[in-house]
Amino acid sequence: MTGKKISPCKVVKRSVAVAGHPTSVTMEFAFWEILDQIAARDDMSVSALITAVDEANKGKCTLSAALRVYILKRVTR
């Protein structure tokens, strides 16, 4: 980054591989920051973490929503 601060509310779309398939996920920048930290802490790639969340979600809600809920649960335990 060039030192320019990004608003935590800015919506960011990222291309990721989920179970080996390309897709895109849209979430607020603040959620991406925390997801990156969780993946690093768990010594896994963001794509692998997203795949695990997607598999646990089993289609109950959108992937973006499932990721937000997962992040909230991780930071509040």
Side-chain angles (χ1 to χ4, degrees):
M1 252 191 257
T2 61
K4 186 177 180 182
K5 194 162 187 164
I6 298 176
S7 167
C9 298
K10 180 173 175 51
V11 176
V12 177
K13 181 184 256 187
R14 282 195 196 176
S15 296
V16 296
V18 176
H21 302 286
T23 191
S24 61
V25 178
T26 304
M27 295 190 299
E28 293 75 8
F29 181 73
F31 283 103
W32 283 116
E33 282 188 307
I34 300 300
L35 192 67
D36 290 339
Q37 292 171 11
I38 291 169
R41 206 174 304 134
D42 291 354
D43 196 29
M44 62 193 316
S45 70
V46 172
S47 289
L49 179 56
I50 291 173
T51 296
V53 171
D54 185 51
E55 289 171 355
N57 179 45
K58 298 179 182 172
K60 293 179 216 153
C61 55
T62 67
L63 181 54
S64 293
L67 288 167
R68 286 186 193 96
V69 169
Y70 172 82
I71 292 164
L72 286 171
K73 286 180 178 180
R74 282 290 300 260
V75 300
T76 58
R77 61 170 151 141

